[in-house]
Amino acid sequence: MAECSKKVKNGVKEIVGTNINDLPNDVLEHILSFVPTREVVQTCVLSQMWRYIWKSVPTVEIMESIDDCQNILDQVILHRGDISIHSCHLHFVDYFDHQKHKANSWIFHALLVCKVKELSICAWFDDEFLKIASQSIISKHLRKLVLDTLKLKTNFVDFTSCPLLENLEMNYCVITGNKIISNSLKHLRMERVVFWTYDADDLAVVIQICVLNLVSLSLIGFDGWTPLFESMPCLVSATVVFNYECSDACIYSKFWDCGNEDCRGCYARSDHKYGCLLLDRLSSTTHMELVSNDYSIANVVSRDLRWSPLFRNLKTLVLNEWFLDNGLWGLLCIVKCSPSLEKITLKLYTEPEQMVGNEESYSTMVQPFVMKQLKKIMVKCEKEMEWVKNIVMTLTKLGIPQHIICVEEISSSSW
């Protein structure tokens, strides 16, 4: 419990002992903010001076079952008084549905009374999801919210009651509402989120997301229907990863529209025939990454590209193999609509079922757009196989100078 410091006296170094108890309370509280809450509370037995320091530590970090940490959280949150919390991380390793009222009361109190600025919640056990009541997410101080393995069970996920909220992360959450709204949000990351919707008059009801001031968007491997984003004029960076659970995928063909009215991917939502589902909402971004983990999802992007959405500010573009399913059509469509594009990164790690199509039919699409602004095409692959060389050759035949195409071999462990 002591530190040693060196002091020079008459040219000779002396070792001076400094007891940790001599440190100011605010320094002690800062040190304890890096320690799990249970261990912080245990410091109360050290001495009379340490008896109440734990109550002022600006962080709460719990990774236990609700039954094990109930008394601790009652003390550090419910009985904290008016001492604010900077960051609160609640990870309940065991959770049962009957405990949701207790968990929600801690969340509600931390937001309204403890004025928490960063809140992270994770709760899952035996297929049970903690259901967060909409009235619990109310705060004039919250700036960052991380929701992991939770269920937002409400018809309207409204974050307008958090006017300072700028960062929102949702990981493995189930959203049963039909609209998400925030006026302050700048950074949104949604990974493996389930958009749990319903049908009305045989048409799918799609979740709407209204985040007018959003700057960066990451939509990673969602399940359900592609959400409908409203205008995002401030968007700078967008990453979208499709997986096989996306409901918009055509089940009869790789390319929309299959013509079969029994296909829900092509006909279950009314907005399919009236414009873009997603890409036109990304029109202001300067960086865009479009990745598909399943070739059958390529038609989701291809459907949007038929409407020729304009990416007027796009400078960097990242794609994986999905654009090869229909020749280079997907890549060239984006290039044609991106007059400011400077760099393209192509991640080619899996050999496509069929090689690029008739490149001559696409040559008019790529010129003169590529020649004016494009500075570099980076092709990343595990090994420069023959099929990768064929793709590079096709790009040069389309009029792209060979000196701006760079092939980089990357080991599979670094993908």
Side-chain angles (χ1 to χ4, degrees):
M1 297 291 290
E3 295 180 350
C4 292
S5 61
K6 294 182 179 180
K7 184 169 75 173
V8 178
K9 185 177 181 181
N10 298 326
V12 180
K13 291 183 178 179
E14 290 185 63
I15 305 298
V16 180
T18 302
N19 195 293
I20 194 172
N21 290 336
D22 296 333
L23 296 174
N25 278 5
D26 57 343
V27 175
L28 293 176
E29 292 164 7
H30 177 71
I31 294 173
L32 290 176
S33 67
F34 298 96
V35 180
T37 297
R38 178 173 289 278
E39 297 177 20
V40 171
V41 174
Q42 289 172 348
T43 63
C44 69
V45 301
L46 294 177
S47 68
Q48 185 67 24
M49 186 197 112
W50 286 81
R51 188 173 181 181
Y52 297 110
I53 289 179
W54 60 271
K55 285 191 174 183
S56 302
V57 175
T59 61
V60 174
E61 182 179 343
I62 288 290
M63 188 175 179
E64 303 178 28
S65 68
I66 289 182
D67 288 339
D68 291 340
C69 69
Q70 180 170 327
N71 291 334
I72 290 179
L73 287 181
D74 282 348
Q75 291 296 322
V76 298
I77 295 181
L78 298 185
H79 303 154
R80 189 181 187 88
D82 59 355
I83 302 174
S84 62
I85 298 175
H86 181 271
S87 61
C88 180
H89 304 276
L90 306 178
H91 187 162
F92 303 123
V93 294
D94 292 333
Y95 167 75
F96 297 94
D97 192 56
H98 69 273
Q99 298 170 323
K100 65 182 178 183
H101 298 295
K102 191 66 178 177
N104 271 281
S105 67
W106 289 324
I107 296 169
F108 183 80
H109 198 87
L111 289 170
L112 282 187
V113 180
C114 300
K115 304 174 183 178
V116 64
K117 293 181 176 63
E118 297 182 4
L119 176 62
S120 177
I121 313 165
C122 177
W124 180 83
F125 180 74
D126 196 23
D127 294 331
E128 287 283 356
F129 285 80
L130 172 61
K131 299 177 180 63
I132 300 294
S134 59
Q135 63 269 23
S136 296
I137 311 298
I138 300 174
S139 172
K140 294 181 179 180
H141 307 276
L142 187 65
R143 295 181 178 273
K144 181 177 181 179
L145 177 63
V146 179
L147 305 176
D148 197 324
T149 325
L150 307 178
K151 178 179 285 188
L152 301 179
K153 192 175 182 180
T154 175
N155 289 329
F156 198 81
V157 184
D158 188 353
F159 294 104
T160 56
S161 297
C162 302
L164 298 183
L165 180 63
E166 294 186 349
N167 291 272
L168 175 61
E169 295 183 21
M170 295 183 179
N171 305 311
Y172 299 90
C173 292
V174 176
I175 301 176
T176 61
N178 51 35
K179 191 169 186 179
I180 300 174
I181 183 170
S182 171
N183 299 325
S184 59
L185 207 60
K186 292 185 177 179
H187 308 283
L188 173 61
R189 178 182 175 86
M190 307 177 83
E191 181 171 356
R192 291 309 302 265
V193 169
V194 178
F195 297 113
W196 198 343
T197 56
Y198 59 92
D199 291 353
D201 298 327
D202 295 327
L203 292 176
V205 176
V206 181
I207 289 180
Q208 292 180 288
I209 301 180
C210 181
V211 281
L212 186 64
N213 295 300
L214 200 68
V215 174
S216 68
L217 169 67
S218 295
L219 189 60
I220 312 295
F222 60 91
D223 296 4
W225 298 102
T226 304
L228 180 61
F229 285 86
E230 297 187 11
S231 176
M232 297 182 288
C234 302
L235 194 65
V236 173
S237 175
T239 299
V240 182
V241 179
F242 295 91
N243 65 358
Y244 62 91
E245 295 292 346
C246 176
S247 299
D248 288 286
C250 176
I251 61 177
Y252 296 108
S253 169
K254 289 185 177 180
F255 311 107
W256 182 85
D257 153 14
C258 66
N260 190 330
E261 294 186 0
D262 293 330
C263 176
R264 288 183 55 79
C266 290
Y267 293 98
R269 52 189 290 174
S270 60
D271 53 0
H272 275 193
K273 297 184 178 181
Y274 302 106
C276 289
L277 302 182
L278 177 64
L279 293 189
D280 62 336
R281 305 308 197 275
L282 311 181
S283 61
S284 65
T285 186
T286 59
H287 171 82
M288 182 168 65
E289 182 169 354
L290 299 176
V291 175
S292 171
N293 293 329
D294 190 280
Y295 281 130
S296 64
I297 310 301
N299 62 358
V300 177
V301 179
S302 299
R303 176 168 50 211
D304 274 9
L305 290 177
R306 293 175 188 271
W307 295 92
S308 299
L310 179 62
F311 306 103
R312 60 179 64 86
N313 301 321
L314 187 63
K315 292 185 179 297
T316 57
L317 172 68
V318 181
L319 305 174
N320 72 335
E321 301 90 348
W322 66 263
F323 72 91
L324 296 172
D325 251 20
N326 191 17
L328 295 178
W329 185 84
L331 170 61
L332 301 181
C333 275
I334 299 178
V335 169
K336 177 184 177 181
C337 300
S338 308
S340 302
L341 189 59
E342 296 180 356
K343 180 181 178 181
I344 301 175
T345 300
L346 304 178
K347 299 180 178 181
L348 306 179
Y349 301 133
T350 304
E351 184 175 0
E353 297 177 1
Q354 55 185 359
M355 290 306 299
V356 293
N358 182 7
E359 58 267 28
E360 294 181 0
S361 63
Y362 308 124
S363 60
T364 57
M365 299 180 62
V366 72
Q367 298 176 351
F369 306 99
V370 170
M371 305 302 295
K372 289 185 176 180
Q373 299 293 338
L374 193 59
K375 298 178 181 178
K376 187 175 184 180
I377 295 183
M378 174 66 71
V379 178
K380 295 187 177 183
C381 57
E382 184 176 9
K383 191 174 182 181
E384 192 174 0
M385 306 292 287
E386 192 64 30
W387 64 275
V388 176
K389 294 179 181 179
N390 289 341
I391 292 170
V392 173
M393 185 181 300
T394 301
L395 292 173
T396 60
K397 288 181 179 180
L398 292 173
I400 300 175
Q402 189 169 3
H403 70 272
I404 71 170
I405 303 176
C406 178
V407 179
E408 179 182 357
E409 295 184 1
I410 299 178
S411 63
S412 57
S413 61
S414 62
W415 293 355

